[in-house]
Amino acid sequence: MGRGRSKAKQTKVARDLKYSNQDMDLERLAKELHGEVKEDKGFDDDSSNDNYTTRN
C-alpha cells in the first residue's frame, strides 16, 4: 500500500520532463557520453573529509 501516491508523483515528473521545452546542448551531451569532455570541478570543498574518522 502507498504505491499510488509515489507512482503518481513519478508520472508527473516524467510528464514534466517529456513536455518541458528546455534548451539542451546536445553536442556537449554527445561529447560527454563519448568521454570527450573533461569534468569541470568548479566546486572543490574538502569539508566533507573533515568529519571522516577511520576505524581501528
Side-chain angles (χ1 to χ4, degrees), residues 7-51:
K7 184 177 181 196
K9 183 169 180 153
Q10 290 172 354
T11 303
K12 179 181 182 280
V13 170
R15 190 176 294 123
D16 288 344
L17 289 173
K18 181 177 180 182
Y19 294 113
S20 67
N21 191 7
Q22 297 178 359
D23 294 330
M24 282 194 244
D25 188 0
L26 296 178
E27 291 177 16
R28 180 173 168 83
L29 177 62
K31 287 179 182 178
E32 187 175 330
L33 291 174
H34 292 294
E36 298 173 8
V37 175
K38 295 179 182 176
E39 289 189 21
D40 196 14
K41 303 232 179 186
F43 185 71
D44 292 332
D45 185 17
D46 292 332
S47 64
S48 62
N49 294 334
D50 293 341
N51 296 331

